[in-house]
Amino acid sequence: MSTDIDTSSKSLSGKRISESTINRLSLYYRALSLLEKEGYETVSSKVLARREKLTPAQVRKDLSFFGSFGTRGLGYPVADLKKEIAVILGIDRVWRVALVGIGNIGSALVSYKEFARQGFQIVKLFDNDQRKIGSNHKGIIVSDINNLATELAEDNIEMVVLTVPATVAQYIVDEIVKAGIKAILNFAPVNLKVPDDIYLRNENMSMELEYLSFAIVNNHTQKKVKL
Amino acid sequence: MSTDIDTSSKSLSGKRISESTINRLSLYYRALSLLEKEGYETVSSKVLARREKLTPAQVRKDLSFFGSFGTRGLGYPVADLKKEIAVILGIDRVWRVALVGIGNIGSALVSYKEFARQGFQIVKLFDNDQRKIGSNHKGIIVSDINNLATELAEDNIEMVVLTVPATVAQYIVDEIVKAGIKAILNFAPVNLKVPDDIYLRNENMSMELEYLSFAIVNNHTQKKVKL
DNA sequence: AATGTAATGTGAAAAGCTTCACAATTGAAT
DNA sequence: ATTCAATTGTGAAGCTTTTCACATTACATT
């Protein structure tokens, strides 16, 4: 994991919402989905916190930035709160996503059900390899990356997942930006330069292993959930 | 991305090193590798910072937790600093890693070169599916998950990458813990319970897309690099 | 109707993290 | 040998995030 978008935005009424808060909303959403399936109608900040290894105060504070969703003495209505969070996160809709780079990680993500489950629909694939162009992945035909700009526009793509080699990532991201895409999730282990108005986020899987390595070697003590 | 290991550990001389600092060490390491290839002998905190969209003060502060690696007026010696960071992160060696769950993501990670490049060698694969057990992935034969405990021990495995479905992840992680593994990188979108002495880290790829979604919907302004 | 219990929402305090700013130090130039 | 320019290392300040603690409110019970 890793990124480029700010932490301190003024989203709502001028309040600054931290990145950590947004990330925790994702966790709450996931926990609420589960609670809903388990048949719970309400849930307290205490229970929600325990489920995601956070504190009740943190849960209440996070939610309070966006409104008053609970009932004193009772807790939060599971189904309603889930919907509210979906609206806040913008996942109460389907996002049309393109994926560029049909390598190991890229092809895996095409079949990754969790994306679709959260409303991120991969509807377009691109590669520069003639052997891959025209091939079918989960019902999607791989397009030639040279047609990126026109095809992204034609298909109303709003986000791009970038799974190309690090060496070409900057070139490709420039093309994606030129094509008018505003949100990019980059898996290449490289720091990409993008204009200020582009949302870029980096997924750096080695970094997580490096953290584990550091933890073992330095006898790190455990305390909190990292987001 | 995402986890379970603390942020505020006392690794060295009682100093607390934050998780952000550790994550930035990974970035510095990557930047230094590149600088080394480009032929630089020294680098200033200013240049290093610019490469990873951080501030020079941040770079200096981070490094100062671990020692004095620079020369005033000159900067940091690229090759040496890279080695120092490798030692700090514990990546100046090879880690023997097992991967459990040969699905989409799992098989992609077996071929993910970036892991090997950082010293994380996947040497063992497990699955519970009879059709997969015995099959060969990049030279590794998939083992039966029922032999997890004995085979992990026999092979001196120190870390496990977990790419099983969310529904079975808790069960599997319990087995992994029983087998004596202390570090786990979990890709299942579920909050796993582990004893306090186990290092667990979560990679949550949907969370990153959800952040992008939030950013677009709420007109988030950009400022910093997220780690 | 009154009392008791549970649990939110939130200012304020505490803790943690980042940036500032400057003394100290090095190498280069004169 | 002296001066100048560059750049580190670091305490202190500033800012952000988390936690605390409590008034408030809703429901259940008597």
Side-chain angles (χ1 to χ4, degrees):
Chain A
M1 69 128 223
S2 182
T3 301
D4 228 82
I5 296 166
D6 170 26
T7 252
S8 48
S9 79
K10 308 184 199 173
S11 345
L12 297 312
S13 42
K15 282 179 242 128
R16 285 175 176 277
I17 306 295
S18 77
E19 168 168 4
S20 304
T21 293
I22 308 308
N23 284 162
R24 282 190 297 266
L25 288 184
S26 294
L27 298 184
Y28 302 150
Y29 184 81
R30 192 176 73 182
L32 288 164
S33 304
L34 219 55
L35 285 161
E36 196 177 34
K37 265 194 209 140
E38 293 170 15
Y40 288 86
E41 303 229 314
T42 59
V43 64
S44 66
S45 60
K46 195 172 163 190
V47 168
L48 200 44
R50 192 164 44 226
R51 292 244 177 171
E52 295 295 337
K53 296 204 198 92
L54 301 166
T55 63
Q58 180 98 79
V59 171
R60 294 199 300 274
K61 184 63 100 179
D62 283 340
L63 296 176
S64 78
F65 291 132
F66 302 96
S68 294
F69 307 115
T71 307
R72 288 163 199 239
L74 241 196
Y76 299 93
V78 171
D80 287 359
L81 182 57
K82 187 183 161 215
K83 271 183 218 137
E84 295 276 8
I85 293 178
V87 171
I88 294 164
L89 289 176
I91 56 174
D92 57 332
R93 44 160 289 184
V94 169
W95 289 91
R96 295 174 67 78
V97 179
L99 188 147
V100 181
I102 316 298
N104 296 317
I105 305 289
S107 354
L109 292 181
V110 177
S111 312
Y112 187 53
K113 296 195 192 71
E114 198 60 19
F115 281 172
R117 203 171 290 137
Q118 307 297 319
F120 300 103
Q121 214 164 14
I122 297 180
V123 294
K124 200 96 203 167
L125 304 176
F126 293 94
D127 205 291
N128 68 340
D129 184 338
Q130 287 304 324
R131 287 165 299 182
K132 288 173 186 166
I133 295 167
S135 70
N136 184 318
H137 286 249
K138 290 273 158 180
I140 308 167
I141 306 295
V142 177
S143 298
D144 189 329
I145 194 146
N146 292 313
N147 305 330
L148 195 75
T150 47
E151 297 203 18
L152 286 180
E154 275 169 16
D155 250 312
N156 293 309
I157 303 295
E158 300 167 285
M159 292 184 182
V160 167
V161 174
L162 190 62
T163 47
V164 300
T167 44
V168 298
Q170 184 63 60
Y171 170 75
I172 305 277
V173 89
D174 290 346
E175 296 299 312
I176 292 168
V177 169
K178 272 187 222 155
I181 298 294
K182 295 285 182 238
I184 300 165
L185 176 56
N186 168 46
F187 280 78
V190 65
N191 191 354
L192 299 172
K193 287 188 196 62
V194 291
D196 279 356
D197 64 326
I198 305 297
Y199 300 120
L200 171 66
R201 227 158 148 88
N202 297 300
E203 189 80 60
N204 189 336
M205 297 182 291
S206 302
M207 189 185 270
E208 301 297 328
L209 283 181
E210 285 167 20
Y211 197 99
L212 287 174
S213 165
F214 172 84
I216 295 177
V217 167
N218 296 277
N219 262 298
H220 231 218
T221 48
Q222 293 194 56
K223 271 208 214 141
K224 293 192 196 169
V225 173
K226 191 235 144 192
L227 295 172
Chain B
M1 68 133 222
S2 179
T3 301
D4 229 82
I5 295 168
D6 174 26
T7 253
S8 49
S9 81
K10 308 183 199 173
S11 344
L12 299 311
S13 44
K15 283 180 241 124
R16 286 174 177 279
I17 308 295
S18 77
E19 167 168 4
S20 305
T21 292
I22 308 308
N23 284 162
R24 282 190 298 264
L25 288 184
S26 294
L27 298 184
Y28 302 149
Y29 184 82
R30 193 176 71 183
L32 289 163
S33 304
L34 220 55
L35 286 162
E36 196 178 33
K37 264 193 212 142
E38 293 169 17
Y40 288 86
E41 302 228 316
T42 57
V43 63
S44 65
S45 58
K46 194 172 162 188
V47 169
L48 200 43
R50 192 165 41 226
R51 292 242 176 174
E52 295 297 336
K53 296 203 200 93
L54 302 166
T55 65
Q58 179 98 79
V59 171
R60 295 200 301 275
K61 182 63 100 179
D62 283 340
L63 295 175
S64 78
F65 291 132
F66 302 97
S68 292
F69 307 116
T71 306
R72 286 163 199 241
L74 242 196
Y76 300 93
V78 171
D80 287 359
L81 183 57
K82 186 183 161 212
K83 273 184 216 133
E84 295 277 6
I85 293 178
V87 171
I88 295 165
L89 289 177
I91 56 175
D92 58 334
R93 46 161 288 185
V94 169
W95 290 91
R96 296 174 65 76
V97 179
L99 188 147
V100 181
I102 317 299
N104 297 316
I105 306 288
S107 353
L109 293 180
V110 177
S111 312
Y112 187 55
K113 296 195 191 68
E114 197 62 19
F115 281 172
R117 203 172 288 138
Q118 309 296 318
F120 300 102
Q121 215 164 12
I122 296 179
V123 294
K124 199 95 204 166
L125 303 177
F126 294 94
D127 206 291
N128 69 341
D129 185 337
Q130 288 304 325
R131 286 165 300 183
K132 290 174 185 164
I133 295 168
S135 70
N136 185 317
H137 286 248
K138 292 271 160 182
I140 309 166
I141 307 294
V142 178
S143 299
D144 189 328
I145 194 147
N146 291 312
N147 304 330
L148 193 76
T150 47
E151 297 202 20
L152 286 180
E154 274 169 17
D155 251 310
N156 293 310
I157 303 296
E158 299 166 285
M159 291 183 182
V160 167
V161 174
L162 190 62
T163 47
V164 301
T167 44
V168 299
Q170 184 62 59
Y171 170 75
I172 306 277
V173 90
D174 290 345
E175 298 298 313
I176 292 168
V177 169
K178 273 188 222 157
I181 298 294
K182 296 285 182 236
I184 301 165
L185 176 55
N186 169 46
F187 280 79
V190 64
N191 191 353
L192 299 172
K193 286 187 198 65
V194 291
D196 279 356
D197 64 324
I198 305 298
Y199 301 119
L200 170 65
R201 229 160 145 85
N202 297 300
E203 189 80 61
N204 189 337
M205 298 182 293
S206 301
M207 191 186 270
E208 301 297 328
L209 284 182
E210 285 167 19
Y211 197 99
L212 287 175
S213 164
F214 173 84
I216 296 177
V217 167
N218 296 276
N219 262 296
H220 232 218
T221 49
Q222 292 193 58
K223 269 207 217 146
K224 290 190 197 170
V225 173
K226 190 235 145 188
L227 295 172

